[in-house]
Amino acid sequence: MKKIVVIGASSSSKSINRTFANFAAKSLDIECEIIDLVLSDYEMPIYSEDKQNNSGIPSMAISFKQKIFNSDAIVISLAEHNGSYTAAFKNIYDWISVIENDVWCSKPILLLSTSTGSRGGLTVLKLAYNRFSRNYKYDIPNFSLPNFKENFDKKKGITNIRLNQDFHSVLIDFQNILNRN
């Protein structure tokens, strides 16, 4: 059984990205255990080199990184705040990146984004893809779901036929990477 870490990269208790990331993991055609990392459970001081030197790396960052290390793959759905990562995600990302250079522990990643707007968080998705894929061991399948409220139903999933086909194509690419491991 594969262990899949799911990260909805928003601290909102009603995060549509968390909903979307969990939906994607549950849509995989493999037997898996889903480990949902809720960002609000990992609130810690804003990263700075001074804080790291004075207090060390917070235990929450080490715990977050350990869950990634112990997984077989990661599904991340990025929320977009002002064209970039949410502050909550960026802070965790900064902390776990100083633990070791291999931030995502060379695990296969499915990279997603969604929003209630027509671009679906495409700016942050491209930003993350460009950063995460540099010298990465695997291809990183990615997908953006625009207009979440119009195109997603909690019971049916993605309701737009074309977007659903595109999503499943990306999901198959991710599963193929997982099956090679």
Side-chain angles (χ1 to χ4, degrees):
M1 179 181 301
K2 301 277 188 187
K3 289 183 179 182
I4 310 293
V5 162
V6 171
I7 302 169
S10 166
S11 59
S12 171
S13 63
K14 298 176 183 173
S15 170
I16 59 176
N17 279 280
R18 184 171 174 219
T19 298
F20 190 40
N22 275 283
F23 166 76
K26 290 173 186 170
S27 298
L28 292 168
D29 193 22
I30 59 171
E31 194 174 332
C32 62
E33 174 188 351
I34 297 171
I35 298 121
D36 186 4
L37 298 184
V38 180
L39 297 193
S40 59
D41 292 342
Y42 293 90
E43 289 182 5
M44 51 194 131
I46 295 173
Y47 176 79
S48 77
E49 188 176 327
D50 291 339
K51 284 183 181 157
Q52 181 184 351
N53 290 337
N54 293 333
S55 304
I57 298 171
S59 61
M60 283 190 227
I62 294 167
S63 173
F64 193 94
K65 181 76 169 204
Q66 190 66 43
K67 289 183 184 349
I68 291 168
F69 181 80
N70 291 332
S71 73
D72 295 297
I74 309 163
V75 175
I76 304 172
S77 186
L78 298 155
E80 184 173 292
H81 287 189
N82 299 312
S84 191
Y85 309 119
T86 64
F89 178 77
K90 179 66 166 82
N91 192 49
I92 292 169
Y93 180 66
D94 287 345
W95 277 115
I96 66 172
S97 72
V98 297
I99 295 171
E100 65 175 330
N101 286 337
D102 187 355
V103 177
W104 304 113
C105 303
S106 295
K107 306 296 180 176
I109 298 172
L110 173 59
L111 194 55
L112 308 167
S113 68
T114 191
S115 75
T116 56
S118 62
R119 289 184 37 81
L122 196 56
T123 301
V124 73
L125 181 71
K126 287 181 179 182
L127 175 77
Y129 178 81
N130 288 335
R131 176 64 195 103
F132 298 171
S133 65
R134 256 185 246 145
N135 302 315
Y136 208 65
K137 180 177 178 177
Y138 301 103
D139 289 333
I140 302 177
N142 61 89
F143 176 81
S144 171
L145 179 64
N147 302 310
F148 183 81
K149 291 180 181 175
E150 291 84 20
N151 291 319
F152 188 86
D153 179 271
K154 286 186 179 185
K155 292 180 182 169
K156 298 177 187 174
I158 298 172
T159 56
N160 177 293
I161 294 169
R162 180 67 186 152
L163 290 171
N164 191 44
Q165 289 172 337
D166 292 345
F167 170 75
H168 281 283
S169 176
V170 168
L171 206 60
I172 288 168
D173 291 343
F174 182 59
Q175 285 177 184
N176 288 338
I177 294 168
L178 280 173
N179 289 333
R180 286 193 297 261
N181 282 341

